[in-house]
């Protein structure tokens, strides 16, 4: 019987992918997005309970997406104009 190399290749690929994702910058981005989502949901929940502001729950995740876009654009600009 020959060993199943496909399983080993998939395992190595997933390990490499996790190592690429698990960088310091990506951790900061994920924490920032989670904080934005938490703050948006908290604001929407309190506003809905108090009747102070009518909330469309589909729009709650927009601040986290905006933060992600700002981080991506900022990183791209920083890398583009980096001095060598």
């Amino acid at each position: 019987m020959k060993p199943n190399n496909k399983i080993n290749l998939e395992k190595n690929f997933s390990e490499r992918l996790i190592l690429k994702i698990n960088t310091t910058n990506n951790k900061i981005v994920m924490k920032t997005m989670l904080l934005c989502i938490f703050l948006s949901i908290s604001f929407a929940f309190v506003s809905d309970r108090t009747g102070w502001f009518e909330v469309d729950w589909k729009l709650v995740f927009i601040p986290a997406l905006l933060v992600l876009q700002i981080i991506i654009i900022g990183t791209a600009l920083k890398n583009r104009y980096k001095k060598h």
Side-chain angles (χ1 to χ4, degrees):
M1 295 184 74
K2 72 179 186 182
N4 192 352
N5 289 332
K6 187 175 183 180
I7 295 173
N8 290 336
L9 289 175
E10 289 175 2
K11 184 184 272 189
N12 289 338
F13 175 75
S14 62
E15 288 175 359
R16 284 184 283 147
L17 183 63
I18 290 172
L19 288 176
K20 281 185 180 180
I21 292 173
N22 201 13
T23 63
T24 306
N25 286 338
N26 289 344
K27 286 180 185 177
I28 293 170
V29 169
M30 295 303 276
K31 286 179 183 178
T32 306
M33 286 181 58
L34 288 174
L35 179 65
C36 285
I37 289 172
F38 174 73
L39 291 174
S40 298
I41 290 174
S42 301
F43 175 75
F45 183 73
V46 169
S47 298
D48 192 40
R49 290 290 178 200
T50 60
W52 176 66
F53 187 67
E54 185 71 27
V55 175
D56 185 9
W57 286 95
K58 295 177 210 166
L59 303 177
V60 169
F61 298 102
I62 288 179
L65 293 174
L66 289 173
V67 167
L68 177 64
Q69 288 178 350
I70 290 169
I71 291 171
I72 290 171
I73 291 169
T75 305
L77 289 173
K78 184 173 68 174
N79 289 340
R80 179 178 172 87
Y81 296 110
K82 188 184 292 186
K83 293 182 179 178
H84 297 286

